[in-house]
Amino acid sequence: MSSGIVNGRVSFWYAEDGLPVLRAPLDGDAAADVVIVGGGYTGLWTAYYLKKAAPFLRIVVLEKEFCGYGASGRNGGWLYNGVAGRDRYARVHGHEAAVRLQRAMNDTVGEVVRVVGEEGFDAGIHQGGVLEVAYTSAQLARLRDFHDVEVSYGEGDRELYGAEATAERVRVAGALGSSWTPHGARVHPVKLVKGLAAAVEGLGVVVCERTPVTEIRAKHAVTPYGTVRAPYVLRCTEGFTASLKGQRRTWLPMNSSMIATEPLTDAQWDEIGWAGREALGDMAHAYMYAQRTEDGRIALGGRGVPYRFGSRTDNDGRTQVATVEALRGILVRLFPVLRDVRVAHAWSGVLGVPRDWCASVTLDRSTGLGWAGGYVGSGVATANLAARTLRDLVRLDSGQAGRTGLTGLPWVGHRVRKWEPEPLRWVGVRGMYATYRAADRRESAGGGERSSRLARVADRVAGRH
């Protein structure tokens, strides 16, 4: 089943145009007004909005490999309104504060589409919304609860479907129901990051690739080629944060893996449906995410080997054969008509997970150090909101502007304790996902409406509640 698969090479999203021509590295010590560490969505969007708001700023972006090497070039292409930690923020700051965060996320989908159109580059965007399906009784019960919660956070335009209405959108085998939000779109991740990087450079931002930052401290970003000094140093490194000095236990680099099929035939698409090209997810505990690509494939992802000992990251996206087979099994479970379809590409990447699973944005006004991330897999859109928030925090601190609606969102300034030392975090994370998978198997076999108790155990280990 795995023969002939292109495994790794960063991701399938680079297959069409190949890996980018690398920009020059940093050439000696430099000075700037703002230095941004990380050339993914968060770093590039932050540079974009800061430079648009204050063209006189000298901004330098430092990237270890190339822009889009990390999660920004490997994700599932879900531009949607999910934000990690919203329910916790509701408990801590009140429901209305969380509603404001959710509304900001709803608007962010349209903001990304707006900027892409304004800058005039193709990001493979199709605004079909997000459809999350349930295909066991326990999943259906969770789906209904999930739908009601989302509506309670102001999503009055969300729709709940039964089995028949779900099949009219996409024919997932055995689907019992689904929930759809219009606040979502499919994107081509690499087209988005390439277009954004070009737009940032066009504004006059200096982008240095092949420039690993080894240490961040107040007013300094240290690299092997020199140190960039700036009043503001913004860390936008998401799943690669653990590689920085003193940050190994800050955010856990959670591994996620994907496969892409060969292009499907018109007859196969007729069997599946999916004409609306919605981003597609499910309500399993070890959930999957998928999209119908521009060139007629299915790209599908989920957790493979969820964590590598010592917070290590992968080797250019190479993925274990067992993970490829597991993802193929999910594909065939959803769409049995594809049992003979070839998997053409497989890859992996890491996402950043804080100990309390809450995305956040912070600027320490005493040091000028800022950071954003911890998106827990929901970063394609969240990075844009985080970047605009970082922009406003820098402008507030420097006296360029006053407080805004974004600087008052409940995720601003949120801090959390570090992850446990090894081997505790390796044992905990691997055990957590093994337990989630066992819970899914038990629910599929049992047929009842109640979620497995195993999932609640895994939630407690994770610190999600």
Side-chain angles (χ1 to χ4, degrees):
M1 285 292 187
S2 298
S3 61
I5 295 175
V6 178
N7 194 335
R9 299 184 193 175
V10 184
S11 78
F12 159 74
W13 307 116
Y14 286 100
E16 183 177 350
D17 295 331
L19 297 180
V21 176
L22 299 182
R23 297 172 173 88
L26 180 69
D27 183 19
D29 292 341
D33 297 307
V34 180
V35 59
I36 296 169
V37 181
Y41 292 146
T42 305
L44 293 173
W45 278 123
T46 301
Y48 177 84
Y49 285 112
L50 273 171
K51 194 68 172 176
K52 292 284 280 189
F56 57 84
L57 288 176
R58 297 170 300 161
I59 302 173
V60 175
V61 175
L62 302 175
E63 163 57 41
K64 180 180 179 181
E65 300 289 347
F66 56 81
C67 292
Y69 176 80
S72 299
R74 309 191 197 190
N75 62 80
W78 276 40
L79 178 70
Y80 86 120
N81 66 339
V83 56
R86 182 198 61 192
D87 293 347
R88 186 181 294 268
Y89 288 132
R91 292 195 296 271
V92 174
H93 298 278
H95 183 75
E96 285 308 308
V99 168
R100 287 189 287 109
L101 179 59
Q102 185 59 65
R103 286 176 176 161
M105 278 304 311
N106 295 350
D107 294 342
T108 294
V109 176
E111 169 66 9
V112 173
V113 175
R114 181 193 69 79
V115 172
V116 168
E118 186 176 278
E119 294 296 335
F121 63 88
D122 172 28
I125 295 174
H126 181 88
Q127 288 186 268
V130 179
L131 185 73
E132 308 205 49
V133 301
Y135 45 82
T136 69
S137 297
Q139 285 189 25
L140 183 62
R142 285 198 297 276
L143 176 86
R144 289 168 174 159
D145 289 343
F146 164 78
H147 179 89
D148 290 345
V149 168
E150 298 308 298
V151 171
S152 77
Y153 282 107
E155 257 197 277
D157 46 5
R158 179 174 281 273
E159 298 177 6
L160 184 65
Y161 303 135
E164 185 175 345
T166 299
E168 289 175 0
R169 283 185 172 267
V170 58
R171 286 183 280 282
V172 170
L176 302 173
S178 60
S179 179
W180 176 82
T181 176
H183 303 292
R186 175 210 71 191
V187 303
H188 188 297
V190 165
K191 289 184 177 180
L192 177 58
V193 76
K194 283 184 175 180
L196 182 55
V200 163
E201 280 193 308
L203 292 172
V205 173
V206 175
V207 180
C208 300
E209 296 181 329
R210 295 175 285 170
T211 306
V213 173
T214 56
E215 182 181 2
I216 293 173
R217 59 178 186 264
K219 299 179 173 57
H220 294 76
V222 181
T223 86
Y225 312 122
T227 297
V228 182
R229 293 170 174 81
Y232 298 100
V233 182
L234 307 180
R235 189 187 79 221
C236 303
T237 48
E238 189 57 354
F240 290 87
T241 299
S243 65
L244 293 166
K245 182 178 179 180
Q247 302 294 334
R248 184 167 294 277
R249 292 165 52 199
T250 299
W251 289 337
L252 185 138
M254 186 77 74
N255 192 62
S256 197
S257 300
M258 293 198 71
I259 58 173
T261 68
E262 62 187 345
L264 304 188
T265 66
D266 289 344
Q268 288 167 328
W269 282 121
D270 287 343
E271 288 272 355
I272 293 170
W274 210 347
R277 292 166 172 78
E278 302 90 344
L280 180 67
D282 68 6
M283 297 304 294
H285 299 293
Y287 52 84
M288 73 85 198
Y289 50 94
Q291 69 152 277
R292 177 175 175 172
T293 68
E294 285 184 284
D295 60 349
R297 305 168 190 262
I298 292 177
L300 178 147
R303 301 291 182 263
V305 177
Y307 174 71
R308 293 177 171 85
F309 190 88
S311 292
R312 291 175 296 165
T313 54
D314 59 81
N315 181 22
D316 286 345
R318 189 160 182 83
T319 302
Q320 291 186 340
V321 171
T323 297
V324 177
E325 294 297 339
L327 292 174
R328 180 183 170 78
I330 294 172
L331 175 73
V332 175
R333 161 66 186 84
L334 298 174
F335 306 113
V337 69
L338 302 182
R339 62 178 58 87
D340 296 323
V341 163
R342 186 175 69 89
V343 172
H345 208 129
W347 70 99
S348 295
V350 292
L351 48 101
V353 182
R355 190 61 184 88
D356 64 353
W357 300 70
C358 291
S360 62
V361 184
T362 298
L363 179 66
D364 187 332
R365 303 187 71 175
S366 67
T367 63
L369 296 176
W371 56 90
Y375 304 132
V376 196
S378 300
V380 180
T382 313
N384 177 278
L385 178 61
R388 287 183 283 131
T389 305
L390 272 178
R391 172 203 60 192
D392 288 1
L393 290 171
V394 169
R395 299 193 75 213
L396 172 64
D397 184 73
S398 62
Q400 297 177 28
R403 298 185 181 277
T404 69
L406 299 186
T407 62
L409 291 176
W411 68 341
V412 172
H414 177 74
R415 301 192 186 218
V416 65
R417 68 182 174 90
K418 293 181 180 292
W419 282 87
E420 291 78 3
E422 295 292 22
L424 293 178
R425 64 179 182 274
W426 184 86
V427 171
V429 175
R430 297 287 285 251
M432 174 185 70
Y433 271 98
T435 305
Y436 280 138
R437 292 188 182 100
D440 286 328
R441 290 193 298 271
R442 182 172 292 185
E443 289 175 5
S444 294
E449 292 187 1
R450 295 185 63 179
S451 293
S452 170
R453 292 180 180 177
L454 289 174
R456 293 196 291 274
V457 171
D459 284 343
R460 285 196 292 272
V461 171
R464 287 177 165 173
H465 297 296

